[in-house]
Amino acid sequence: MSSSQQMSDAGFADFYAEYHRRTSAADLAGADLAQLQAAVRSHLHFGAQRLPGEVKVRVSTPVEAIDGWSSPHTIVHLLLDDMPFVVDSL
């Protein structure tokens, strides 16, 4: 069982809050909470096996039947160690 599956509901709630800590209320307004939570769980699951120094990138357009959540947008999941200017580099 992965760490994202082992996380308690309370633990996930804390993780979810931290994940969206800098997301504006306007960006979250009107969004489907279940879809947002599924997207965060997907990102968490994707990163569960990352080693320090490893870069993981996944680009997809999630489909409900396959991924358990969907989006009309292409999603980029990027996992890497924190470093200066990483956001500016993307």
Side-chain angles (χ1 to χ4, degrees):
M1 186 176 278
S2 74
S3 61
S4 63
Q5 292 170 324
Q6 293 173 350
M7 186 178 287
S8 70
D9 288 342
F12 179 76
D14 291 342
F15 180 82
Y16 180 85
E18 183 63 22
Y19 190 96
H20 283 296
R21 181 170 50 105
R22 292 193 171 123
T23 305
S24 74
D27 286 342
L28 294 174
D32 182 306
L33 180 60
Q35 291 290 310
L36 289 174
Q37 289 175 338
V40 171
R41 282 189 194 279
S42 174
H43 200 184
L44 178 62
H45 179 71
F46 178 59
Q49 300 297 322
R50 191 183 77 83
L51 300 172
E54 180 183 11
V55 175
K56 292 182 82 171
V57 178
R58 177 176 62 188
V59 179
S60 66
T61 304
V63 177
E64 184 82 33
I66 297 169
D67 303 299
W69 66 290
S70 64
S71 174
H73 307 288
T74 298
I75 307 298
V76 177
H77 284 157
L78 177 65
L79 298 158
L80 63 147
D81 295 338
D82 191 18
M83 61 183 72
F85 306 110
V86 70
V87 174
D88 294 335
S89 301
L90 301 173

